[in-house]
Amino acid sequence: MTVRYLISGAVQGVGFRWYVARHARSLDVTGYAHNLADGRVEVVARAVDPARLERLEAVLRAGPPNARVEQVRREDVADESSLPSRSFDIR
């Protein structure tokens, strides 16, 4: 299962992508986190077990201490062949 999240708020310049990557790796979730030009962070994540994505979503909603998450938008997407298959990357 692959999911795309768009996180808005004060989420750039606060270590958000690193925070997400650390938690995603511990959950055995692959994908990436990427800063968007409009100030949001995009996270595309894949996991075999949907419960792992639910736990990752809770991490996204909490954010690291210096972040202020205002909204997390989720959309299911078709599995993307461009996703890392064994890691969670920061782009």
Side-chain angles (χ1 to χ4, degrees), residues 12-76:
Q12 289 190 13
V14 293
F16 194 90
R17 292 175 301 154
W18 296 99
Y19 170 84
V20 171
R22 183 178 39 146
H23 287 281
R25 291 171 185 144
S26 74
L27 291 168
D28 200 25
V29 172
T30 61
Y32 64 86
H34 172 72
N35 282 343
L36 299 176
D38 63 6
R40 295 179 297 170
V41 171
E42 174 189 45
V43 173
V44 179
R46 177 188 296 151
V48 175
D49 179 4
R52 293 177 188 265
L53 293 174
E54 289 173 16
R55 293 202 309 251
L56 180 64
E57 186 171 337
V59 165
L60 298 177
R61 291 185 184 285
N66 293 328
R68 189 183 79 252
V69 176
E70 293 176 0
Q71 182 180 35
V72 176
R73 197 173 103 210
R74 174 190 170 138
E75 55 189 57
D76 294 337

